[in-house]
Amino acid sequence: MGKVITGDDPQTLVSTEWLAAHLNDPDLRIIDASYYLAEMGRDAKAEYDAAHIPGARFFDIDEISDRRSDLPHMVAPVEKFMSRMRAMGVGDGHQVVVYDGMGLFSAARVWWNFRLMGKSDVAVLNGGFPKWQAEGRPVEDMPPIIRDRHMTVQRQAHLVKDVTQVASASKLGDWQIVDARSPARFRGEEPEARANLRAGRIPNSRNVHYATLFNEDGTMKEGDALRAAFEAGGVDLDKRIITTCGSGVTAAILMLGLMRLGQEDVSLYDGSWAEWGQFEQLKVETG
């Protein structure tokens, strides 16, 4: 276990106050990583075009992904990620701040994407665009002026797990598997939105609903309160952890919280339930 992080930290979370103070820094790059499930009825790109934090670039989670996979928004190959970031003017030497329109939802997924590519100077905006707007901070509807920036990538393979590795962890118990989905979905009491997916959970997994990590204002809990959210789900913070969810988005929120608590031995199951739930040969628990 490393050091517990509280307050502003440019490698995990920063406040709206921090971002406002650094808004004109020449090496700051802001990314709007808004993403919505179909049932939310929201258009992330249209909302970005209408209003975003000044200078923000739009990161399309579904497009900047491995389109060869049948699974939703699997992490992009290194070359694709590099080319998309260069086109967005994001590269070496930049401090990146990622936000989304829900408050703290899909931004953590993009934060994890950068971490996976070896970029540590990246933070999530705590409370996201809703908090920024509620405080009356500046927004704009103009696209930023882009200048190409080279990006050097060193993929950190230990930050991601595939289905074979997760199946081994489920069987051997050498990693804790922590599921960010709602308790009803975790117990298999609620049908899955995606077609042909069984209901239930990965055997021997634990449940920490991502929403339990938040304060009432949508910011992430800190210190003892954050620790209590994980411990309430039966998680031993001294043991290594794999996070999972429906399709690898909210699993990244758990990873962000765990890193704030000093847990450095944590990995994300990219395929998550969208993958596990479709294969009949993989066991499922319910109840």
Side-chain angles (χ1 to χ4, degrees):
M1 292 285 287
K3 180 184 174 186
V4 174
I5 302 166
T6 58
D8 290 324
D9 171 47
Q11 295 192 346
T12 54
L13 271 178
V14 294
S15 63
T16 50
E17 291 81 7
W18 186 97
L19 182 57
H22 291 271
L23 200 57
N24 295 316
D25 288 6
D27 282 329
L28 178 75
R29 291 295 178 269
I30 304 170
I31 289 178
D32 183 325
S34 298
Y35 166 83
Y36 304 111
L37 302 173
E39 58 265 29
M40 294 174 180
R42 295 176 65 175
D43 184 328
K45 182 59 164 62
E47 290 185 20
Y48 165 83
D49 289 340
H52 51 261
I53 295 175
R57 286 98 161 116
F58 183 73
F59 188 112
D60 187 332
I61 283 176
D62 280 331
E63 198 284 320
I64 305 174
S65 68
D66 187 350
R67 302 302 285 267
R68 301 165 301 182
S69 173
D70 294 333
L71 297 168
H73 44 251
M74 292 285 281
V75 70
V78 168
E79 297 76 14
K80 182 174 183 178
F81 187 86
M82 288 172 65
S83 69
R84 294 297 189 271
M85 291 308 100
R86 172 176 276 190
M88 288 166 60
V90 179
D92 295 342
H94 283 149
Q95 169 66 51
V96 177
V97 175
V98 192
Y99 74 89
D100 65 61
M102 290 274 286
L104 211 168
F105 181 63
S106 50
R109 168 76 186 187
V110 174
W111 166 82
W112 170 76
N113 259 244
F114 274 92
R115 302 284 301 206
L116 183 63
M117 299 298 170
K119 298 300 176 187
S120 57
D121 292 332
V122 54
V124 172
L125 181 63
N126 206 2
F129 198 48
K131 190 170 190 288
W132 182 269
Q133 284 188 300
E135 293 167 352
R137 300 189 187 276
V139 298
E140 66 182 15
D141 59 4
M142 297 291 291
I145 297 168
I146 303 293
R147 294 181 181 87
D148 273 14
R149 183 77 162 244
H150 178 71
M151 177 178 278
T152 308
V153 166
Q154 290 181 308
R155 196 173 189 273
Q156 306 296 302
H158 65 282
L159 292 176
V160 64
K161 291 283 184 282
D162 63 24
V163 66
T164 305
Q165 294 167 312
V166 175
S168 173
S170 171
K171 186 174 183 179
L172 299 178
D174 53 344
W175 290 74
Q176 294 173 101
I177 301 169
V178 186
D179 193 323
R181 295 176 301 157
S182 70
R185 286 179 69 193
F186 180 77
R187 292 191 298 262
E189 297 167 358
E190 203 173 272
E192 290 294 316
R194 289 184 177 85
N196 304 317
L197 280 191
R198 297 168 295 168
R201 64 179 176 276
I202 299 169
N204 301 315
S205 56
R206 296 159 174 81
N207 186 211
V208 177
H209 187 207
Y210 74 90
T212 64
L213 273 53
F214 300 152
N215 298 305
E216 287 186 9
D217 66 354
T219 57
M220 185 171 278
K221 294 174 180 176
E222 295 200 327
D224 290 344
L226 183 58
R227 179 185 299 276
F230 283 100
E231 290 178 344
V235 177
D236 184 342
L237 292 167
D238 291 321
K239 294 181 178 177
R240 54 189 186 173
I241 293 166
I242 298 169
T243 65
T244 183
C245 61
S247 64
V249 174
T250 58
I253 298 173
L254 298 190
M255 178 180 272
L256 180 63
L258 288 163
M259 286 196 171
R260 293 277 289 178
L261 289 172
Q263 169 55 275
E264 293 161 352
D265 209 349
V266 57
S267 190
L268 185 147
Y269 174 24
D270 197 17
S272 283
W273 194 253
E275 181 174 39
W276 190 281
Q278 68 175 301
F279 291 115
E280 293 294 332
Q281 61 268 43
L282 294 172
K283 293 181 180 178
V284 165
E285 286 183 347
T286 57

Short mmCIF file of all heavy atoms in Angstrom, two decimals, residues 30-92:
data_model
loop_
_atom_site.label_atom_id
_atom_site.label_comp_id
_atom_site.label_asym_id
_atom_site.label_seq_id
_atom_site.Cartn_x
_atom_site.Cartn_y
_atom_site.Cartn_z
N ILE A 30 -7.24 19.82 -21.57
CA ILE A 30 -8.49 19.42 -20.94
C ILE A 30 -9.25 18.53 -21.93
O ILE A 30 -9.33 18.84 -23.12
CB ILE A 30 -9.34 20.65 -20.57
CG1 ILE A 30 -8.53 21.59 -19.66
CG2 ILE A 30 -10.64 20.23 -19.87
CD1 ILE A 30 -9.20 22.94 -19.45
N ILE A 31 -9.81 17.44 -21.42
CA ILE A 31 -10.53 16.50 -22.27
C ILE A 31 -11.95 16.29 -21.74
O ILE A 31 -12.14 16.01 -20.55
CB ILE A 31 -9.79 15.14 -22.33
CG1 ILE A 31 -8.50 15.30 -23.15
CG2 ILE A 31 -10.67 14.05 -22.93
CD1 ILE A 31 -7.66 14.06 -23.23
N ASP A 32 -12.93 16.47 -22.62
CA ASP A 32 -14.32 16.14 -22.31
C ASP A 32 -14.53 14.69 -22.72
O ASP A 32 -14.52 14.35 -23.90
CB ASP A 32 -15.27 17.06 -23.09
CG ASP A 32 -16.74 16.83 -22.76
OD1 ASP A 32 -17.13 15.67 -22.50
OD2 ASP A 32 -17.52 17.80 -22.79
N ALA A 33 -14.69 13.82 -21.73
CA ALA A 33 -14.83 12.37 -21.97
C ALA A 33 -16.26 11.91 -21.71
O ALA A 33 -16.48 10.76 -21.33
CB ALA A 33 -13.86 11.61 -21.09
N SER A 34 -17.22 12.79 -21.92
CA SER A 34 -18.62 12.45 -21.64
C SER A 34 -19.06 11.25 -22.48
O SER A 34 -18.75 11.15 -23.67
CB SER A 34 -19.52 13.64 -21.91
OG SER A 34 -19.19 14.72 -21.07
N TYR A 35 -19.80 10.37 -21.84
CA TYR A 35 -20.33 9.16 -22.48
C TYR A 35 -21.61 8.80 -21.75
O TYR A 35 -21.67 8.85 -20.52
CB TYR A 35 -19.31 8.02 -22.37
CG TYR A 35 -19.87 6.66 -22.69
CD1 TYR A 35 -19.97 6.22 -24.02
CD2 TYR A 35 -20.30 5.80 -21.67
CE1 TYR A 35 -20.48 4.97 -24.31
CE2 TYR A 35 -20.81 4.55 -21.96
CZ TYR A 35 -20.91 4.14 -23.28
OH TYR A 35 -21.43 2.91 -23.56
N TYR A 36 -22.64 8.47 -22.52
CA TYR A 36 -23.93 8.14 -21.91
C TYR A 36 -24.45 6.82 -22.44
O TYR A 36 -24.29 6.48 -23.61
CB TYR A 36 -24.95 9.25 -22.20
CG TYR A 36 -24.47 10.61 -21.74
CD1 TYR A 36 -24.15 11.60 -22.66
CD2 TYR A 36 -24.30 10.88 -20.39
CE1 TYR A 36 -23.68 12.83 -22.24
CE2 TYR A 36 -23.85 12.11 -19.96
CZ TYR A 36 -23.53 13.09 -20.89
OH TYR A 36 -23.06 14.30 -20.47
N LEU A 37 -25.08 6.06 -21.55
CA LEU A 37 -25.76 4.84 -21.96
C LEU A 37 -27.00 5.21 -22.77
O LEU A 37 -27.56 6.29 -22.60
CB LEU A 37 -26.16 4.03 -20.72
CG LEU A 37 -24.99 3.65 -19.78
CD1 LEU A 37 -25.52 3.01 -18.51
CD2 LEU A 37 -24.01 2.73 -20.49
N ALA A 38 -27.41 4.31 -23.65
CA ALA A 38 -28.53 4.60 -24.55
C ALA A 38 -29.78 5.05 -23.80
O ALA A 38 -30.48 5.99 -24.23
CB ALA A 38 -28.83 3.38 -25.41
N GLU A 39 -30.03 4.40 -22.65
CA GLU A 39 -31.26 4.72 -21.92
C GLU A 39 -31.23 6.10 -21.27
O GLU A 39 -32.26 6.60 -20.81
CB GLU A 39 -31.53 3.66 -20.85
CG GLU A 39 -30.45 3.47 -19.81
CD GLU A 39 -29.48 2.35 -20.15
OE1 GLU A 39 -29.28 2.07 -21.36
OE2 GLU A 39 -28.91 1.76 -19.21
N MET A 40 -30.06 6.75 -21.25
CA MET A 40 -29.97 8.09 -20.67
C MET A 40 -30.51 9.16 -21.63
O MET A 40 -30.81 10.27 -21.20
CB MET A 40 -28.52 8.40 -20.29
CG MET A 40 -27.99 7.53 -19.16
SD MET A 40 -26.22 7.84 -18.87
CE MET A 40 -25.88 6.70 -17.52
N GLY A 41 -30.57 8.82 -22.93
CA GLY A 41 -31.14 9.74 -23.91
C GLY A 41 -30.37 11.04 -24.08
O GLY A 41 -30.96 12.09 -24.34
N ARG A 42 -29.05 10.98 -23.93
CA ARG A 42 -28.22 12.18 -24.08
C ARG A 42 -27.18 11.98 -25.17
O ARG A 42 -26.72 10.87 -25.41
CB ARG A 42 -27.53 12.54 -22.76
CG ARG A 42 -28.48 12.92 -21.65
CD ARG A 42 -27.78 13.16 -20.32
NE ARG A 42 -26.88 14.31 -20.35
CZ ARG A 42 -26.24 14.78 -19.27
NH1 ARG A 42 -26.40 14.17 -18.10
NH2 ARG A 42 -25.44 15.83 -19.37
N ASP A 43 -26.82 13.06 -25.86
CA ASP A 43 -25.85 13.04 -26.96
C ASP A 43 -24.59 13.76 -26.49
O ASP A 43 -24.57 14.99 -26.41
CB ASP A 43 -26.46 13.72 -28.18
CG ASP A 43 -25.56 13.64 -29.41
OD1 ASP A 43 -24.32 13.65 -29.26
OD2 ASP A 43 -26.10 13.59 -30.53
N ALA A 44 -23.55 13.00 -26.18
CA ALA A 44 -22.34 13.58 -25.60
C ALA A 44 -21.68 14.60 -26.52
O ALA A 44 -21.28 15.68 -26.08
CB ALA A 44 -21.36 12.46 -25.25
N LYS A 45 -21.58 14.28 -27.81
CA LYS A 45 -20.90 15.20 -28.74
C LYS A 45 -21.72 16.47 -28.93
O LYS A 45 -21.15 17.58 -28.99
CB LYS A 45 -20.67 14.50 -30.08
CG LYS A 45 -19.92 15.36 -31.12
CD LYS A 45 -18.55 15.79 -30.61
CE LYS A 45 -17.63 16.30 -31.73
NZ LYS A 45 -18.15 17.48 -32.41
N ALA A 46 -23.03 16.35 -29.03
CA ALA A 46 -23.88 17.54 -29.20
C ALA A 46 -23.77 18.45 -27.98
O ALA A 46 -23.73 19.68 -28.12
CB ALA A 46 -25.33 17.12 -29.43
N GLU A 47 -23.72 17.83 -26.79
CA GLU A 47 -23.59 18.64 -25.57
C GLU A 47 -22.23 19.33 -25.52
O GLU A 47 -22.13 20.49 -25.11
CB GLU A 47 -23.80 17.77 -24.33
CG GLU A 47 -25.25 17.30 -24.17
CD GLU A 47 -25.48 16.53 -22.88
OE1 GLU A 47 -24.66 16.66 -21.93
OE2 GLU A 47 -26.49 15.81 -22.80
N TYR A 48 -21.19 18.62 -25.96
CA TYR A 48 -19.86 19.23 -26.03
C TYR A 48 -19.86 20.42 -26.99
O TYR A 48 -19.32 21.49 -26.68
CB TYR A 48 -18.82 18.20 -26.47
CG TYR A 48 -17.50 18.81 -26.91
CD1 TYR A 48 -16.53 19.16 -25.99
CD2 TYR A 48 -17.25 19.07 -28.27
CE1 TYR A 48 -15.33 19.75 -26.38
CE2 TYR A 48 -16.06 19.65 -28.68
CZ TYR A 48 -15.11 20.00 -27.73
OH TYR A 48 -13.94 20.59 -28.13
N ASP A 49 -20.46 20.22 -28.16
CA ASP A 49 -20.50 21.30 -29.16
C ASP A 49 -21.24 22.53 -28.63
O ASP A 49 -20.90 23.67 -28.98
CB ASP A 49 -21.19 20.81 -30.43
CG ASP A 49 -20.33 19.81 -31.22
OD1 ASP A 49 -19.10 19.78 -31.00
OD2 ASP A 49 -20.90 19.05 -32.03
N ALA A 50 -22.23 22.32 -27.79
CA ALA A 50 -23.03 23.43 -27.26
C ALA A 50 -22.30 24.18 -26.15
O ALA A 50 -22.41 25.40 -26.04
CB ALA A 50 -24.37 22.91 -26.75
N ALA A 51 -21.56 23.44 -25.30
CA ALA A 51 -20.87 24.07 -24.18
C ALA A 51 -19.84 23.12 -23.58
O ALA A 51 -20.17 21.96 -23.30
CB ALA A 51 -21.86 24.49 -23.10
N HIS A 52 -18.63 23.62 -23.42
CA HIS A 52 -17.58 22.83 -22.77
C HIS A 52 -16.61 23.77 -22.05
O HIS A 52 -16.64 24.99 -22.26
CB HIS A 52 -16.82 21.95 -23.78
CG HIS A 52 -16.32 22.70 -24.98
ND1 HIS A 52 -16.98 22.70 -26.18
CD2 HIS A 52 -15.23 23.49 -25.16
CE1 HIS A 52 -16.32 23.45 -27.06
NE2 HIS A 52 -15.25 23.93 -26.47
N ILE A 53 -15.78 23.21 -21.19
CA ILE A 53 -14.76 24.00 -20.50
C ILE A 53 -13.80 24.55 -21.56
O ILE A 53 -13.43 23.85 -22.50
CB ILE A 53 -14.03 23.13 -19.45
CG1 ILE A 53 -15.02 22.70 -18.35
CG2 ILE A 53 -12.86 23.91 -18.85
CD1 ILE A 53 -14.43 21.75 -17.32
N PRO A 54 -13.42 25.83 -21.44
CA PRO A 54 -12.57 26.43 -22.47
C PRO A 54 -11.32 25.59 -22.77
O PRO A 54 -10.60 25.15 -21.87
CB PRO A 54 -12.19 27.78 -21.84
CG PRO A 54 -13.36 28.13 -20.99
CD PRO A 54 -13.82 26.82 -20.41
N GLY A 55 -11.11 25.36 -24.08
CA GLY A 55 -9.95 24.61 -24.54
C GLY A 55 -10.12 23.10 -24.56
O GLY A 55 -9.23 22.38 -25.01
N ALA A 56 -11.26 22.61 -24.06
CA ALA A 56 -11.45 21.16 -23.97
C ALA A 56 -11.55 20.51 -25.34
O ALA A 56 -12.15 21.05 -26.26
CB ALA A 56 -12.69 20.83 -23.15
N ARG A 57 -10.95 19.32 -25.46
CA ARG A 57 -11.08 18.47 -26.64
C ARG A 57 -12.08 17.36 -26.31
O ARG A 57 -12.16 16.93 -25.17
CB ARG A 57 -9.75 17.81 -27.00
CG ARG A 57 -8.74 18.76 -27.63
CD ARG A 57 -7.74 19.27 -26.61
NE ARG A 57 -6.55 19.79 -27.29
CZ ARG A 57 -6.16 21.06 -27.24
NH1 ARG A 57 -6.82 21.95 -26.54
NH2 ARG A 57 -5.06 21.44 -27.89
N PHE A 58 -12.78 16.85 -27.33
CA PHE A 58 -13.76 15.79 -27.09
C PHE A 58 -13.13 14.43 -27.37
O PHE A 58 -12.56 14.20 -28.43
CB PHE A 58 -14.99 15.97 -27.98
CG PHE A 58 -16.06 14.94 -27.73
CD1 PHE A 58 -16.83 14.98 -26.58
CD2 PHE A 58 -16.29 13.92 -28.64
CE1 PHE A 58 -17.80 14.02 -26.33
CE2 PHE A 58 -17.26 12.96 -28.41
CZ PHE A 58 -18.02 13.01 -27.24
N PHE A 59 -13.24 13.54 -26.40
CA PHE A 59 -12.72 12.17 -26.50
C PHE A 59 -13.91 11.23 -26.68
O PHE A 59 -14.72 11.08 -25.78
CB PHE A 59 -11.95 11.82 -25.21
CG PHE A 59 -11.20 10.51 -25.25
CD1 PHE A 59 -9.81 10.50 -25.23
CD2 PHE A 59 -11.86 9.30 -25.24
CE1 PHE A 59 -9.10 9.30 -25.23
CE2 PHE A 59 -11.17 8.09 -25.25
CZ PHE A 59 -9.78 8.11 -25.24
N ASP A 60 -14.01 10.62 -27.86
CA ASP A 60 -15.11 9.71 -28.17
C ASP A 60 -14.73 8.29 -27.72
O ASP A 60 -13.94 7.62 -28.37
CB ASP A 60 -15.40 9.74 -29.67
CG ASP A 60 -16.63 8.96 -30.08
OD1 ASP A 60 -16.97 7.97 -29.38
OD2 ASP A 60 -17.25 9.30 -31.10
N ILE A 61 -15.30 7.86 -26.61
CA ILE A 61 -14.93 6.57 -26.01
C ILE A 61 -15.23 5.40 -26.95
O ILE A 61 -14.46 4.43 -27.00
CB ILE A 61 -15.65 6.40 -24.66
CG1 ILE A 61 -14.94 7.26 -23.60
CG2 ILE A 61 -15.70 4.94 -24.21
CD1 ILE A 61 -15.60 7.26 -22.24
N ASP A 62 -16.31 5.49 -27.71
CA ASP A 62 -16.63 4.39 -28.62
C ASP A 62 -15.74 4.38 -29.85
O ASP A 62 -15.42 3.33 -30.39
CB ASP A 62 -18.11 4.46 -29.04
CG ASP A 62 -19.04 3.91 -27.98
OD1 ASP A 62 -18.61 3.01 -27.23
OD2 ASP A 62 -20.18 4.38 -27.89
N GLU A 63 -15.30 5.56 -30.31
CA GLU A 63 -14.47 5.62 -31.51
C GLU A 63 -13.00 5.35 -31.20
O GLU A 63 -12.32 4.62 -31.93
CB GLU A 63 -14.61 6.99 -32.19
CG GLU A 63 -14.14 7.00 -33.65
CD GLU A 63 -12.62 7.00 -33.82
OE1 GLU A 63 -11.92 7.70 -33.04
OE2 GLU A 63 -12.12 6.30 -34.73
N ILE A 64 -12.50 5.91 -30.10
CA ILE A 64 -11.10 5.68 -29.72
C ILE A 64 -11.06 4.38 -28.92
O ILE A 64 -10.88 4.35 -27.70
CB ILE A 64 -10.54 6.88 -28.93
CG1 ILE A 64 -10.73 8.17 -29.73
CG2 ILE A 64 -9.04 6.66 -28.65
CD1 ILE A 64 -10.33 9.43 -28.98
N SER A 65 -11.27 3.30 -29.64
CA SER A 65 -11.36 1.97 -29.03
C SER A 65 -10.89 0.94 -30.05
O SER A 65 -10.54 1.29 -31.18
CB SER A 65 -12.81 1.68 -28.62
OG SER A 65 -13.63 1.53 -29.76
N ASP A 66 -10.90 -0.32 -29.65
CA ASP A 66 -10.52 -1.40 -30.56
C ASP A 66 -11.76 -1.81 -31.34
O ASP A 66 -12.56 -2.62 -30.87
CB ASP A 66 -9.96 -2.58 -29.76
CG ASP A 66 -9.39 -3.66 -30.66
OD1 ASP A 66 -9.60 -3.59 -31.89
OD2 ASP A 66 -8.73 -4.58 -30.14
N ARG A 67 -11.93 -1.26 -32.53
CA ARG A 67 -13.14 -1.52 -33.32
C ARG A 67 -13.16 -2.93 -33.92
O ARG A 67 -14.16 -3.34 -34.50
CB ARG A 67 -13.29 -0.46 -34.43
CG ARG A 67 -13.34 0.97 -33.93
CD ARG A 67 -14.48 1.22 -32.94
NE ARG A 67 -15.77 1.30 -33.59
CZ ARG A 67 -16.34 2.43 -34.02
NH1 ARG A 67 -15.72 3.59 -33.87
NH2 ARG A 67 -17.53 2.41 -34.59
N ARG A 68 -12.07 -3.65 -33.76
CA ARG A 68 -12.04 -5.04 -34.24
C ARG A 68 -12.78 -5.97 -33.29
O ARG A 68 -13.12 -7.10 -33.64
CB ARG A 68 -10.58 -5.51 -34.38
CG ARG A 68 -9.73 -4.68 -35.33
CD ARG A 68 -8.26 -4.97 -35.16
NE ARG A 68 -7.81 -4.69 -33.79
CZ ARG A 68 -6.56 -4.83 -33.36
NH1 ARG A 68 -5.62 -5.23 -34.22
NH2 ARG A 68 -6.22 -4.57 -32.12
N SER A 69 -13.00 -5.50 -32.08
CA SER A 69 -13.66 -6.32 -31.06
C SER A 69 -15.18 -6.16 -31.13
O SER A 69 -15.69 -5.08 -31.43
CB SER A 69 -13.18 -5.92 -29.67
OG SER A 69 -13.92 -6.59 -28.66
N ASP A 70 -15.89 -7.25 -30.86
CA ASP A 70 -17.34 -7.18 -30.78
C ASP A 70 -17.82 -6.60 -29.45
O ASP A 70 -19.00 -6.29 -29.29
CB ASP A 70 -17.96 -8.58 -30.95
CG ASP A 70 -17.72 -9.15 -32.34
OD1 ASP A 70 -17.58 -8.33 -33.29
OD2 ASP A 70 -17.66 -10.38 -32.48
N LEU A 71 -16.91 -6.48 -28.51
CA LEU A 71 -17.26 -5.93 -27.20
C LEU A 71 -17.24 -4.41 -27.23
O LEU A 71 -16.51 -3.81 -28.02
CB LEU A 71 -16.27 -6.44 -26.14
CG LEU A 71 -16.27 -7.96 -25.93
CD1 LEU A 71 -15.06 -8.37 -25.10
CD2 LEU A 71 -17.56 -8.41 -25.27
N PRO A 72 -18.04 -3.76 -26.38
CA PRO A 72 -18.13 -2.30 -26.42
C PRO A 72 -16.86 -1.61 -25.91
O PRO A 72 -16.29 -2.02 -24.91
CB PRO A 72 -19.32 -1.99 -25.51
CG PRO A 72 -19.45 -3.18 -24.61
CD PRO A 72 -18.99 -4.36 -25.41
N HIS A 73 -16.45 -0.57 -26.66
CA HIS A 73 -15.32 0.32 -26.32
C HIS A 73 -14.14 -0.34 -25.60
O HIS A 73 -13.65 0.16 -24.59
CB HIS A 73 -15.81 1.55 -25.53
CG HIS A 73 -16.81 1.28 -24.45
ND1 HIS A 73 -18.13 1.65 -24.56
CD2 HIS A 73 -16.70 0.68 -23.23
CE1 HIS A 73 -18.78 1.28 -23.47
NE2 HIS A 73 -17.92 0.70 -22.66
N MET A 74 -13.70 -1.48 -26.12
CA MET A 74 -12.46 -2.08 -25.60
C MET A 74 -11.30 -1.12 -25.88
O MET A 74 -11.31 -0.37 -26.86
CB MET A 74 -12.20 -3.44 -26.26
CG MET A 74 -13.22 -4.50 -25.87
SD MET A 74 -12.97 -5.14 -24.18
CE MET A 74 -11.60 -6.27 -24.45
N VAL A 75 -10.29 -1.17 -25.02
CA VAL A 75 -9.19 -0.20 -25.12
C VAL A 75 -8.54 -0.25 -26.50
O VAL A 75 -8.37 -1.31 -27.10
CB VAL A 75 -8.16 -0.43 -23.99
CG1 VAL A 75 -7.38 -1.72 -24.20
CG2 VAL A 75 -7.25 0.76 -23.86
N ALA A 76 -8.20 0.92 -27.03
CA ALA A 76 -7.65 1.04 -28.38
C ALA A 76 -6.23 0.48 -28.44
O ALA A 76 -5.48 0.53 -27.46
CB ALA A 76 -7.63 2.51 -28.79
N PRO A 77 -5.84 -0.04 -29.61
CA PRO A 77 -4.44 -0.40 -29.80
C PRO A 77 -3.55 0.83 -29.59
O PRO A 77 -4.00 1.97 -29.81
CB PRO A 77 -4.39 -0.87 -31.26
CG PRO A 77 -5.80 -1.20 -31.62
CD PRO A 77 -6.67 -0.30 -30.81
N VAL A 78 -2.32 0.60 -29.19
CA VAL A 78 -1.40 1.71 -28.89
C VAL A 78 -1.30 2.70 -30.04
O VAL A 78 -1.39 3.92 -29.84
CB VAL A 78 0.00 1.14 -28.53
CG1 VAL A 78 1.04 2.25 -28.51
CG2 VAL A 78 -0.04 0.43 -27.18
N GLU A 79 -1.14 2.18 -31.27
CA GLU A 79 -0.94 3.07 -32.43
C GLU A 79 -2.15 3.96 -32.65
O GLU A 79 -2.02 5.15 -32.99
CB GLU A 79 -0.65 2.25 -33.68
CG GLU A 79 0.62 1.44 -33.63
CD GLU A 79 0.50 0.17 -32.76
OE1 GLU A 79 -0.64 -0.21 -32.43
OE2 GLU A 79 1.55 -0.39 -32.40
N LYS A 80 -3.33 3.42 -32.47
CA LYS A 80 -4.55 4.21 -32.67
C LYS A 80 -4.67 5.28 -31.60
O LYS A 80 -5.00 6.44 -31.89
CB LYS A 80 -5.78 3.29 -32.66
CG LYS A 80 -7.08 4.05 -32.92
CD LYS A 80 -8.27 3.10 -33.04
CE LYS A 80 -9.54 3.87 -33.37
NZ LYS A 80 -10.71 2.98 -33.54
N PHE A 81 -4.40 4.90 -30.35
CA PHE A 81 -4.48 5.88 -29.27
C PHE A 81 -3.51 7.03 -29.53
O PHE A 81 -3.86 8.21 -29.41
CB PHE A 81 -4.15 5.21 -27.93
CG PHE A 81 -4.36 6.10 -26.74
CD1 PHE A 81 -5.60 6.22 -26.14
CD2 PHE A 81 -3.30 6.84 -26.21
CE1 PHE A 81 -5.78 7.05 -25.04
CE2 PHE A 81 -3.47 7.68 -25.12
CZ PHE A 81 -4.72 7.77 -24.54
N MET A 82 -2.27 6.70 -29.91
CA MET A 82 -1.27 7.73 -30.19
C MET A 82 -1.71 8.66 -31.31
O MET A 82 -1.59 9.89 -31.19
CB MET A 82 0.07 7.06 -30.57
CG MET A 82 0.78 6.40 -29.42
SD MET A 82 2.23 5.43 -29.98
CE MET A 82 3.29 6.71 -30.60
N SER A 83 -2.24 8.10 -32.39
CA SER A 83 -2.62 8.94 -33.53
C SER A 83 -3.80 9.84 -33.19
O SER A 83 -3.84 11.00 -33.60
CB SER A 83 -2.93 8.08 -34.76
OG SER A 83 -4.12 7.32 -34.56
N ARG A 84 -4.76 9.31 -32.42
CA ARG A 84 -5.92 10.13 -32.03
C ARG A 84 -5.50 11.25 -31.09
O ARG A 84 -6.00 12.38 -31.18
CB ARG A 84 -6.99 9.27 -31.37
CG ARG A 84 -7.64 8.23 -32.28
CD ARG A 84 -8.39 8.87 -33.44
NE ARG A 84 -9.15 7.87 -34.17
CZ ARG A 84 -8.69 7.15 -35.19
NH1 ARG A 84 -7.44 7.32 -35.60
NH2 ARG A 84 -9.46 6.27 -35.81
N MET A 85 -4.58 10.95 -30.17
CA MET A 85 -4.13 12.00 -29.25
C MET A 85 -3.33 13.07 -29.98
O MET A 85 -3.48 14.26 -29.72
CB MET A 85 -3.30 11.40 -28.10
CG MET A 85 -4.11 10.54 -27.13
SD MET A 85 -5.59 11.36 -26.46
CE MET A 85 -6.87 10.63 -27.50
N ARG A 86 -2.50 12.65 -30.93
CA ARG A 86 -1.75 13.64 -31.72
C ARG A 86 -2.70 14.55 -32.47
O ARG A 86 -2.51 15.77 -32.50
CB ARG A 86 -0.80 12.93 -32.69
CG ARG A 86 -0.14 13.88 -33.67
CD ARG A 86 0.87 13.18 -34.55
NE ARG A 86 2.15 13.09 -33.88
CZ ARG A 86 3.29 12.71 -34.48
NH1 ARG A 86 3.28 12.39 -35.76
NH2 ARG A 86 4.42 12.65 -33.83
N ALA A 87 -3.74 13.97 -33.04
CA ALA A 87 -4.73 14.77 -33.77
C ALA A 87 -5.49 15.73 -32.84
O ALA A 87 -5.99 16.76 -33.28
CB ALA A 87 -5.72 13.85 -34.48
N MET A 88 -5.56 15.38 -31.57
CA MET A 88 -6.22 16.24 -30.59
C MET A 88 -5.25 17.22 -29.95
O MET A 88 -5.64 18.04 -29.10
CB MET A 88 -6.88 15.38 -29.49
CG MET A 88 -8.12 14.64 -29.97
SD MET A 88 -8.66 13.33 -28.81
CE MET A 88 -8.97 14.27 -27.33
N GLY A 89 -3.97 17.14 -30.34
CA GLY A 89 -2.98 18.04 -29.77
C GLY A 89 -2.61 17.72 -28.34
O GLY A 89 -2.25 18.60 -27.56
N VAL A 90 -2.68 16.44 -28.00
CA VAL A 90 -2.35 15.99 -26.63
C VAL A 90 -1.13 15.07 -26.72
O VAL A 90 -1.14 14.11 -27.48
CB VAL A 90 -3.53 15.22 -26.00
CG1 VAL A 90 -3.16 14.75 -24.59
CG2 VAL A 90 -4.78 16.09 -25.96
N GLY A 91 -0.08 15.40 -25.95
CA GLY A 91 1.13 14.58 -26.07
C GLY A 91 2.07 14.72 -24.90
O GLY A 91 1.67 15.07 -23.79
N ASP A 92 3.34 14.45 -25.17
CA ASP A 92 4.35 14.45 -24.12
C ASP A 92 4.46 15.83 -23.46
O ASP A 92 4.37 16.87 -24.13
CB ASP A 92 5.71 14.06 -24.70
CG ASP A 92 5.73 12.62 -25.22
OD1 ASP A 92 4.84 11.85 -24.83
OD2 ASP A 92 6.64 12.29 -26.00
#
